[in-house]
mmCIF file of all heavy atoms in Angstrom:
data_model
loop_
_atom_site.group_PDB
_atom_site.id
_atom_site.type_symbol
_atom_site.label_atom_id
_atom_site.label_comp_id
_atom_site.label_asym_id
_atom_site.label_seq_id
_atom_site.Cartn_x
_atom_site.Cartn_y
_atom_site.Cartn_z
ATOM 1 N N GLN A 1 0.856 -1.235 0.034
ATOM 2 C CA GLN A 1 0.031 -0.008 -0.003
ATOM 3 C C GLN A 1 0.847 1.280 0.012
ATOM 4 O O GLN A 1 0.503 2.246 -0.670
ATOM 5 C CB GLN A 1 -0.930 0.059 1.193
ATOM 6 C CG GLN A 1 -2.029 1.074 1.091
ATOM 7 C CD GLN A 1 -2.864 0.947 -0.061
ATOM 8 O OE1 GLN A 1 -3.437 -0.131 -0.331
ATOM 9 N NE2 GLN A 1 -3.092 2.050 -0.845
ATOM 10 N N PRO A 2 1.984 1.385 0.738
ATOM 11 C CA PRO A 2 2.796 2.642 0.666
ATOM 12 C C PRO A 2 3.324 2.909 -0.808
ATOM 13 O O PRO A 2 3.341 4.053 -1.104
ATOM 14 C CB PRO A 2 3.991 2.277 1.538
ATOM 15 C CG PRO A 2 3.397 1.195 2.566
ATOM 16 C CD PRO A 2 2.498 0.457 1.780
ATOM 17 N N TYR A 3 3.608 1.893 -1.539
ATOM 18 C CA TYR A 3 3.974 2.127 -2.938
ATOM 19 C C TYR A 3 2.773 2.697 -3.758
ATOM 20 O O TYR A 3 2.937 3.648 -4.575
ATOM 21 C CB TYR A 3 4.483 0.793 -3.644
ATOM 22 C CG TYR A 3 5.670 0.251 -2.968
ATOM 23 C CD1 TYR A 3 5.631 -0.933 -2.275
ATOM 24 C CD2 TYR A 3 7.002 0.869 -3.076
ATOM 25 C CE1 TYR A 3 6.832 -1.569 -1.733
ATOM 26 C CE2 TYR A 3 8.073 0.310 -2.497
ATOM 27 C CZ TYR A 3 8.020 -0.858 -1.771
ATOM 28 O OH TYR A 3 9.068 -1.385 -1.145
ATOM 29 N N VAL A 4 1.684 2.153 -3.534
ATOM 30 C CA VAL A 4 0.463 2.589 -4.204
ATOM 31 C C VAL A 4 0.143 3.994 -3.861
ATOM 32 O O VAL A 4 -0.110 4.918 -4.678
ATOM 33 C CB VAL A 4 -0.759 1.698 -3.884
ATOM 34 C CG1 VAL A 4 -2.056 2.228 -4.417
ATOM 35 C CG2 VAL A 4 -0.507 0.298 -4.437
ATOM 36 N N ASP A 5 0.214 4.241 -2.586
ATOM 37 C CA ASP A 5 -0.059 5.761 -2.112
ATOM 38 C C ASP A 5 0.919 6.760 -2.786
ATOM 39 O O ASP A 5 0.615 7.780 -3.119
ATOM 40 C CB ASP A 5 -0.029 5.851 -0.639
ATOM 41 C CG ASP A 5 -1.110 5.053 0.054
ATOM 42 O OD1 ASP A 5 -2.131 4.774 -0.526
ATOM 43 O OD2 ASP A 5 -0.993 4.791 1.344
ATOM 44 N N SER A 6 2.195 6.317 -2.828
ATOM 45 C CA SER A 6 3.275 7.176 -3.424
ATOM 46 C C SER A 6 3.019 7.420 -4.866
ATOM 47 O O SER A 6 3.123 8.564 -5.357
ATOM 48 C CB SER A 6 4.626 6.492 -3.207
ATOM 49 O OG SER A 6 5.581 7.230 -3.842
ATOM 50 N N MET A 7 2.482 6.463 -5.639
ATOM 51 C CA MET A 7 2.179 6.556 -7.029
ATOM 52 C C MET A 7 1.079 7.536 -7.214
ATOM 53 O O MET A 7 1.080 8.426 -8.110
ATOM 54 C CB MET A 7 1.879 5.214 -7.624
ATOM 55 C CG MET A 7 3.040 4.243 -7.641
ATOM 56 S SD MET A 7 4.115 4.590 -9.066
ATOM 57 C CE MET A 7 3.217 3.606 -10.374
ATOM 58 N N HIS A 8 -0.010 7.406 -6.406
ATOM 59 C CA HIS A 8 -1.122 8.310 -6.547
ATOM 60 C C HIS A 8 -0.771 9.732 -6.259
ATOM 61 O O HIS A 8 -1.191 10.687 -6.930
ATOM 62 C CB HIS A 8 -2.351 7.876 -5.637
ATOM 63 C CG HIS A 8 -3.138 6.696 -6.150
ATOM 64 N ND1 HIS A 8 -3.909 6.879 -7.283
ATOM 65 C CD2 HIS A 8 -3.286 5.456 -5.767
ATOM 66 C CE1 HIS A 8 -4.546 5.703 -7.531
ATOM 67 N NE2 HIS A 8 -4.192 4.884 -6.647
ATOM 68 N N HIS A 9 0.060 9.926 -5.217
ATOM 69 C CA HIS A 9 0.552 11.251 -4.821
ATOM 70 C C HIS A 9 1.337 11.920 -6.004
ATOM 71 O O HIS A 9 1.143 13.058 -6.293
ATOM 72 C CB HIS A 9 1.347 11.228 -3.608
ATOM 73 C CG HIS A 9 1.932 12.542 -3.147
ATOM 74 N ND1 HIS A 9 1.133 13.474 -2.573
ATOM 75 C CD2 HIS A 9 3.161 13.067 -3.249
ATOM 76 C CE1 HIS A 9 1.905 14.565 -2.312
ATOM 77 N NE2 HIS A 9 3.160 14.346 -2.677
ATOM 78 N N PHE A 10 2.308 11.127 -6.538
ATOM 79 C CA PHE A 10 3.130 11.536 -7.577
ATOM 80 C C PHE A 10 2.305 11.916 -8.791
ATOM 81 O O PHE A 10 2.574 12.947 -9.604
ATOM 82 C CB PHE A 10 4.203 10.606 -7.963
ATOM 83 C CG PHE A 10 5.045 10.936 -9.103
ATOM 84 C CD1 PHE A 10 5.969 11.892 -8.993
ATOM 85 C CD2 PHE A 10 4.921 10.265 -10.370
ATOM 86 C CE1 PHE A 10 6.805 12.288 -10.053
ATOM 87 C CE2 PHE A 10 5.692 10.666 -11.410
ATOM 88 C CZ PHE A 10 6.690 11.621 -11.281
ATOM 89 N N LEU A 11 1.334 11.143 -9.191
ATOM 90 C CA LEU A 11 0.525 11.322 -10.401
ATOM 91 C C LEU A 11 -0.545 12.368 -10.269
ATOM 92 O O LEU A 11 -1.272 12.619 -11.303
ATOM 93 C CB LEU A 11 -0.054 10.004 -10.935
ATOM 94 C CG LEU A 11 0.987 9.007 -11.499
ATOM 95 C CD1 LEU A 11 0.313 7.695 -11.833
ATOM 96 C CD2 LEU A 11 1.647 9.611 -12.759
ATOM 97 N N ALA A 12 -0.770 12.950 -9.139
ATOM 98 C CA ALA A 12 -1.835 13.879 -8.952
ATOM 99 C C ALA A 12 -1.697 15.079 -9.947
ATOM 100 O O ALA A 12 -2.677 15.594 -10.511
ATOM 101 C CB ALA A 12 -1.838 14.435 -7.489
ATOM 102 N N ALA A 13 -0.418 15.504 -10.209
ATOM 103 C CA ALA A 13 -0.233 16.595 -11.090
ATOM 104 C C ALA A 13 -0.424 16.306 -12.605
ATOM 105 O O ALA A 13 -0.538 17.080 -13.407
ATOM 106 C CB ALA A 13 1.256 17.137 -10.955
ATOM 107 N N TYR A 14 -0.577 14.954 -12.809
ATOM 108 C CA TYR A 14 -0.877 14.387 -14.126
ATOM 109 C C TYR A 14 -2.292 14.113 -14.399
ATOM 110 O O TYR A 14 -2.629 13.593 -15.479
ATOM 111 C CB TYR A 14 0.002 13.187 -14.354
ATOM 112 C CG TYR A 14 1.513 13.414 -14.457
ATOM 113 C CD1 TYR A 14 2.295 13.487 -13.289
ATOM 114 C CD2 TYR A 14 2.115 13.571 -15.719
ATOM 115 C CE1 TYR A 14 3.654 13.681 -13.334
ATOM 116 C CE2 TYR A 14 3.521 13.811 -15.774
ATOM 117 C CZ TYR A 14 4.268 13.875 -14.540
ATOM 118 O OH TYR A 14 5.582 14.051 -14.622
ATOM 119 N N ASP A 15 -3.171 14.344 -13.411
ATOM 120 C CA ASP A 15 -4.537 14.056 -13.623
ATOM 121 C C ASP A 15 -5.053 14.750 -14.942
ATOM 122 O O ASP A 15 -4.628 15.861 -15.228
ATOM 123 C CB ASP A 15 -5.454 14.590 -12.488
ATOM 124 C CG ASP A 15 -5.300 13.666 -11.223
ATOM 125 O OD1 ASP A 15 -4.848 12.494 -11.413
ATOM 126 O OD2 ASP A 15 -5.644 14.028 -10.201
ATOM 127 N N ASP A 16 -5.890 14.049 -15.633
ATOM 128 C CA ASP A 16 -6.356 14.662 -16.966
ATOM 129 C C ASP A 16 -6.938 16.008 -16.821
ATOM 130 O O ASP A 16 -6.592 16.881 -17.666
ATOM 131 C CB ASP A 16 -7.305 13.646 -17.610
ATOM 132 C CG ASP A 16 -6.689 12.362 -18.147
ATOM 133 O OD1 ASP A 16 -5.631 12.030 -17.580
ATOM 134 O OD2 ASP A 16 -7.328 11.707 -18.933
ATOM 135 N N LYS A 17 -7.752 16.257 -15.841
ATOM 136 C CA LYS A 17 -8.414 17.600 -15.700
ATOM 137 C C LYS A 17 -7.424 18.610 -15.403
ATOM 138 O O LYS A 17 -7.483 19.806 -15.925
ATOM 139 C CB LYS A 17 -9.414 17.513 -14.601
ATOM 140 C CG LYS A 17 -10.701 16.776 -15.011
ATOM 141 C CD LYS A 17 -11.732 16.840 -13.963
ATOM 142 C CE LYS A 17 -13.034 16.027 -14.344
ATOM 143 N NZ LYS A 17 -14.083 16.126 -13.300
ATOM 144 N N VAL A 18 -6.431 18.316 -14.585
ATOM 145 C CA VAL A 18 -5.336 19.249 -14.249
ATOM 146 C C VAL A 18 -4.573 19.626 -15.375
ATOM 147 O O VAL A 18 -4.274 20.832 -15.725
ATOM 148 C CB VAL A 18 -4.379 18.691 -13.137
ATOM 149 C CG1 VAL A 18 -3.236 19.537 -12.895
ATOM 150 C CG2 VAL A 18 -5.178 18.409 -11.810
ATOM 151 N N GLN A 19 -4.176 18.654 -16.239
ATOM 152 C CA GLN A 19 -3.426 18.911 -17.451
ATOM 153 C C GLN A 19 -4.253 19.707 -18.414
ATOM 154 O O GLN A 19 -3.715 20.617 -19.194
ATOM 155 C CB GLN A 19 -2.950 17.632 -18.024
ATOM 156 C CG GLN A 19 -1.864 16.961 -17.288
ATOM 157 C CD GLN A 19 -0.547 17.665 -17.305
ATOM 158 O OE1 GLN A 19 0.024 18.055 -18.354
ATOM 159 N NE2 GLN A 19 0.064 17.932 -16.154
ATOM 160 N N GLU A 20 -5.508 19.417 -18.626
ATOM 161 C CA GLU A 20 -6.326 20.161 -19.550
ATOM 162 C C GLU A 20 -6.468 21.597 -19.105
ATOM 163 O O GLU A 20 -6.520 22.510 -20.006
ATOM 164 C CB GLU A 20 -7.691 19.492 -19.655
ATOM 165 C CG GLU A 20 -7.658 18.155 -20.388
ATOM 166 C CD GLU A 20 -8.941 17.378 -20.239
ATOM 167 O OE1 GLU A 20 -9.916 17.868 -19.591
ATOM 168 O OE2 GLU A 20 -9.063 16.302 -20.748
ATOM 169 N N GLU A 21 -6.536 21.903 -17.856
ATOM 170 C CA GLU A 21 -6.724 23.326 -17.363
ATOM 171 C C GLU A 21 -5.420 24.037 -17.466
ATOM 172 O O GLU A 21 -5.383 25.307 -17.838
ATOM 173 C CB GLU A 21 -7.121 23.335 -15.980
ATOM 174 C CG GLU A 21 -8.560 22.745 -15.677
ATOM 175 C CD GLU A 21 -8.832 22.674 -14.246
ATOM 176 O OE1 GLU A 21 -8.007 22.848 -13.371
ATOM 177 O OE2 GLU A 21 -10.029 22.240 -13.845
ATOM 178 N N LYS A 22 -4.223 23.386 -17.314
ATOM 179 C CA LYS A 22 -2.926 24.134 -17.218
ATOM 180 C C LYS A 22 -2.193 24.159 -18.514
ATOM 181 O O LYS A 22 -1.513 25.163 -18.893
ATOM 182 C CB LYS A 22 -2.091 23.546 -16.111
ATOM 183 C CG LYS A 22 -2.673 23.844 -14.695
ATOM 184 C CD LYS A 22 -1.641 23.341 -13.699
ATOM 185 C CE LYS A 22 -2.058 23.737 -12.254
ATOM 186 N NZ LYS A 22 -1.014 23.294 -11.281
ATOM 187 N N ASN A 23 -2.267 23.070 -19.331
ATOM 188 C CA ASN A 23 -1.360 22.891 -20.377
ATOM 189 C C ASN A 23 -2.146 22.710 -21.775
ATOM 190 O O ASN A 23 -3.334 22.594 -21.761
ATOM 191 C CB ASN A 23 -0.432 21.727 -20.217
ATOM 192 C CG ASN A 23 0.458 21.930 -18.999
ATOM 193 O OD1 ASN A 23 0.814 23.036 -18.682
ATOM 194 N ND2 ASN A 23 0.895 20.833 -18.346
ATOM 195 N N ILE A 24 -1.399 22.773 -22.863
ATOM 196 C CA ILE A 24 -1.986 22.668 -24.177
ATOM 197 C C ILE A 24 -1.786 21.407 -24.899
ATOM 198 O O ILE A 24 -0.874 20.690 -24.504
ATOM 199 C CB ILE A 24 -1.465 23.828 -25.021
ATOM 200 C CG1 ILE A 24 -0.045 23.693 -25.344
ATOM 201 C CG2 ILE A 24 -1.738 25.166 -24.336
ATOM 202 C CD1 ILE A 24 0.565 24.614 -26.415
ATOM 203 N N GLU A 25 -2.536 21.003 -25.827
ATOM 204 C CA GLU A 25 -2.365 19.920 -26.658
ATOM 205 C C GLU A 25 -1.253 20.244 -27.782
ATOM 206 O O GLU A 25 -1.412 21.363 -28.395
ATOM 207 C CB GLU A 25 -3.633 19.489 -27.418
ATOM 208 C CG GLU A 25 -4.658 18.871 -26.448
ATOM 209 C CD GLU A 25 -5.848 18.359 -27.218
ATOM 210 O OE1 GLU A 25 -5.754 18.123 -28.434
ATOM 211 O OE2 GLU A 25 -6.908 18.065 -26.582
ATOM 212 N N CYS A 26 -0.320 19.392 -27.868
ATOM 213 C CA CYS A 26 0.747 19.677 -28.810
ATOM 214 C C CYS A 26 0.863 18.643 -29.908
ATOM 215 O O CYS A 26 0.089 17.652 -29.891
ATOM 216 C CB CYS A 26 2.090 19.663 -28.105
ATOM 217 S SG CYS A 26 2.234 20.896 -26.805
ATOM 218 N N ILE A 27 1.639 18.920 -30.918
ATOM 219 C CA ILE A 27 1.751 18.004 -32.084
ATOM 220 C C ILE A 27 2.804 16.977 -31.782
ATOM 221 O O ILE A 27 4.024 17.231 -31.629
ATOM 222 C CB ILE A 27 2.107 18.778 -33.423
ATOM 223 C CG1 ILE A 27 1.067 19.861 -33.636
ATOM 224 C CG2 ILE A 27 2.290 17.854 -34.577
ATOM 225 C CD1 ILE A 27 1.484 20.787 -34.837
ATOM 226 N N PRO A 28 2.439 15.689 -31.724
ATOM 227 C CA PRO A 28 3.476 14.670 -31.364
ATOM 228 C C PRO A 28 4.474 14.523 -32.506
ATOM 229 O O PRO A 28 4.279 14.802 -33.682
ATOM 230 C CB PRO A 28 2.531 13.344 -31.359
ATOM 231 C CG PRO A 28 1.167 13.834 -31.095
ATOM 232 C CD PRO A 28 1.059 15.138 -31.828
ATOM 233 N N GLY A 29 5.639 14.095 -32.040
ATOM 234 C CA GLY A 29 6.732 13.780 -33.019
ATOM 235 C C GLY A 29 7.596 14.996 -33.389
ATOM 236 O O GLY A 29 8.504 14.720 -34.317
ATOM 237 N N HIS A 30 7.349 16.086 -32.798
ATOM 238 C CA HIS A 30 8.106 17.296 -33.130
ATOM 239 C C HIS A 30 8.536 18.087 -31.845
ATOM 240 O O HIS A 30 7.757 18.201 -30.903
ATOM 241 C CB HIS A 30 7.363 18.265 -34.057
ATOM 242 C CG HIS A 30 6.909 17.667 -35.399
ATOM 243 N ND1 HIS A 30 7.618 17.653 -36.454
ATOM 244 C CD2 HIS A 30 5.721 17.067 -35.613
ATOM 245 C CE1 HIS A 30 7.004 17.005 -37.448
ATOM 246 N NE2 HIS A 30 5.815 16.665 -36.984
ATOM 247 N N TYR A 31 9.780 18.520 -31.836
ATOM 248 C CA TYR A 31 10.176 19.361 -30.725
ATOM 249 C C TYR A 31 9.283 20.634 -30.618
ATOM 250 O O TYR A 31 8.837 21.137 -31.617
ATOM 251 C CB TYR A 31 11.587 19.813 -30.809
ATOM 252 C CG TYR A 31 12.636 18.745 -30.772
ATOM 253 C CD1 TYR A 31 13.518 18.480 -31.806
ATOM 254 C CD2 TYR A 31 12.722 17.933 -29.628
ATOM 255 C CE1 TYR A 31 14.490 17.517 -31.751
ATOM 256 C CE2 TYR A 31 13.680 16.949 -29.504
ATOM 257 C CZ TYR A 31 14.559 16.752 -30.586
ATOM 258 O OH TYR A 31 15.513 15.695 -30.510
ATOM 259 N N PHE A 32 8.901 21.022 -29.384
ATOM 260 C CA PHE A 32 8.091 22.202 -29.185
ATOM 261 C C PHE A 32 8.964 23.415 -28.871
ATOM 262 O O PHE A 32 9.264 23.683 -27.668
ATOM 263 C CB PHE A 32 7.015 21.917 -28.057
ATOM 264 C CG PHE A 32 6.094 23.018 -27.857
ATOM 265 C CD1 PHE A 32 5.695 23.842 -28.936
ATOM 266 C CD2 PHE A 32 5.486 23.216 -26.597
ATOM 267 C CE1 PHE A 32 4.891 24.891 -28.726
ATOM 268 C CE2 PHE A 32 4.533 24.241 -26.422
ATOM 269 C CZ PHE A 32 4.223 25.094 -27.490
ATOM 270 N N ILE A 33 9.500 23.964 -29.879
ATOM 271 C CA ILE A 33 10.453 25.105 -29.787
ATOM 272 C C ILE A 33 9.688 26.423 -29.721
ATOM 273 O O ILE A 33 8.862 26.656 -30.596
ATOM 274 C CB ILE A 33 11.501 25.088 -30.829
ATOM 275 C CG1 ILE A 33 12.289 23.797 -30.950
ATOM 276 C CG2 ILE A 33 12.437 26.257 -30.835
ATOM 277 C CD1 ILE A 33 13.184 23.603 -32.161
ATOM 278 N N GLN A 34 10.023 27.187 -28.645
ATOM 279 C CA GLN A 34 9.232 28.378 -28.366
ATOM 280 C C GLN A 34 10.172 29.544 -28.414
ATOM 281 O O GLN A 34 11.251 29.533 -27.771
ATOM 282 C CB GLN A 34 8.517 28.411 -27.023
ATOM 283 C CG GLN A 34 7.495 27.232 -27.016
ATOM 284 C CD GLN A 34 6.883 27.140 -25.669
ATOM 285 O OE1 GLN A 34 6.140 28.007 -25.283
ATOM 286 N NE2 GLN A 34 7.072 25.972 -24.983
ATOM 287 N N GLY A 35 9.897 30.625 -29.212
ATOM 288 C CA GLY A 35 10.723 31.774 -29.365
ATOM 289 C C GLY A 35 10.370 32.846 -28.190
ATOM 290 O O GLY A 35 9.800 32.488 -27.191
ATOM 291 N N GLY A 36 10.779 34.020 -28.542
ATOM 292 C CA GLY A 36 10.484 35.126 -27.576
ATOM 293 C C GLY A 36 11.732 35.298 -26.641
ATOM 294 O O GLY A 36 12.632 34.617 -26.668
ATOM 295 N N ASN A 37 11.525 36.232 -25.710
ATOM 296 C CA ASN A 37 12.526 36.543 -24.754
ATOM 297 C C ASN A 37 12.676 35.417 -23.745
ATOM 298 O O ASN A 37 11.733 34.664 -23.470
ATOM 299 C CB ASN A 37 12.205 37.830 -23.981
ATOM 300 C CG ASN A 37 12.193 39.057 -24.950
ATOM 301 O OD1 ASN A 37 12.957 39.141 -25.892
ATOM 302 N ND2 ASN A 37 11.314 40.005 -24.660
ATOM 303 N N ASP A 38 13.820 35.294 -23.174
ATOM 304 C CA ASP A 38 14.064 34.268 -22.196
ATOM 305 C C ASP A 38 13.092 34.370 -20.968
ATOM 306 O O ASP A 38 12.791 33.394 -20.295
ATOM 307 C CB ASP A 38 15.475 34.328 -21.682
ATOM 308 C CG ASP A 38 16.513 33.872 -22.679
ATOM 309 O OD1 ASP A 38 16.032 33.199 -23.669
ATOM 310 O OD2 ASP A 38 17.737 34.133 -22.554
ATOM 311 N N SER A 39 12.649 35.604 -20.657
ATOM 312 C CA SER A 39 11.810 35.827 -19.529
ATOM 313 C C SER A 39 10.348 35.597 -19.785
ATOM 314 O O SER A 39 9.528 35.632 -18.783
ATOM 315 C CB SER A 39 12.002 37.259 -19.041
ATOM 316 O OG SER A 39 11.625 38.212 -20.042
ATOM 317 N N GLU A 40 9.957 35.346 -20.997
ATOM 318 C CA GLU A 40 8.568 35.118 -21.303
ATOM 319 C C GLU A 40 8.127 33.696 -20.861
ATOM 320 O O GLU A 40 8.849 32.780 -21.099
ATOM 321 C CB GLU A 40 8.419 35.251 -22.828
ATOM 322 C CG GLU A 40 8.491 36.683 -23.376
ATOM 323 C CD GLU A 40 8.122 36.795 -24.827
ATOM 324 O OE1 GLU A 40 7.656 35.755 -25.374
ATOM 325 O OE2 GLU A 40 8.436 37.877 -25.476
ATOM 326 N N GLU A 41 6.946 33.621 -20.308
ATOM 327 C CA GLU A 41 6.470 32.357 -19.800
ATOM 328 C C GLU A 41 6.169 31.388 -20.998
ATOM 329 O O GLU A 41 5.653 31.852 -21.994
ATOM 330 C CB GLU A 41 5.212 32.606 -19.022
ATOM 331 C CG GLU A 41 4.663 31.177 -18.418
ATOM 332 C CD GLU A 41 3.540 31.424 -17.476
ATOM 333 O OE1 GLU A 41 3.599 32.407 -16.687
ATOM 334 O OE2 GLU A 41 2.576 30.598 -17.423
ATOM 335 N N LYS A 42 6.569 30.205 -20.873
ATOM 336 C CA LYS A 42 6.493 29.212 -21.898
ATOM 337 C C LYS A 42 5.290 28.347 -21.736
ATOM 338 O O LYS A 42 4.854 28.074 -20.578
ATOM 339 C CB LYS A 42 7.784 28.368 -22.035
ATOM 340 C CG LYS A 42 9.018 29.121 -22.098
ATOM 341 C CD LYS A 42 9.166 30.031 -23.359
ATOM 342 C CE LYS A 42 10.470 30.753 -23.369
ATOM 343 N NZ LYS A 42 10.583 31.802 -24.457
ATOM 344 N N LYS A 43 4.665 27.850 -22.835
ATOM 345 C CA LYS A 43 3.610 26.904 -22.726
ATOM 346 C C LYS A 43 4.133 25.498 -22.510
ATOM 347 O O LYS A 43 5.229 25.172 -22.925
ATOM 348 C CB LYS A 43 2.697 26.995 -23.979
ATOM 349 C CG LYS A 43 2.115 28.378 -24.181
ATOM 350 C CD LYS A 43 1.276 28.439 -25.479
ATOM 351 C CE LYS A 43 0.644 29.764 -25.677
ATOM 352 N NZ LYS A 43 -0.108 29.821 -26.948
ATOM 353 N N ALA A 44 3.318 24.689 -21.943
ATOM 354 C CA ALA A 44 3.695 23.316 -21.655
ATOM 355 C C ALA A 44 2.668 22.297 -22.287
ATOM 356 O O ALA A 44 1.441 22.555 -22.344
ATOM 357 C CB ALA A 44 3.871 22.970 -20.157
ATOM 358 N N CYS A 45 3.239 21.174 -22.782
ATOM 359 C CA CYS A 45 2.349 20.177 -23.414
ATOM 360 C C CYS A 45 1.738 19.308 -22.341
ATOM 361 O O CYS A 45 2.294 18.966 -21.319
ATOM 362 C CB CYS A 45 3.190 19.354 -24.417
ATOM 363 S SG CYS A 45 3.921 20.314 -25.712
#
């Protein structure tokens, strides 16, 4: 059970709803290269 609890805790940030709210859908098979200034916030897949 401790292993199972650890897995659920770690994957909480990967919940489908969390990812849909915070991140964007990207095109598979290609690097997601983002331009702009170094200080600009980048999008995540």
Side-chain angles (χ1 to χ4, degrees):
Q1 191 62 48
Y3 297 115
V4 171
D5 293 341
S6 175
M7 293 278 277
H8 279 295
H9 177 75
F10 176 73
L11 287 174
Y14 292 85
D15 283 345
D16 288 20
K17 289 185 178 180
V18 173
Q19 288 293 309
E20 289 169 359
E21 290 174 0
K22 291 186 175 182
N23 297 331
I24 65 171
E25 292 187 14
C26 298
I27 302 174
H30 301 275
Y31 293 123
F32 186 26
I33 300 172
Q34 303 178 61
N37 297 327
D38 289 343
S39 59
E40 291 182 11
E41 184 172 322
K42 308 301 182 184
K43 298 178 180 178
C45 298

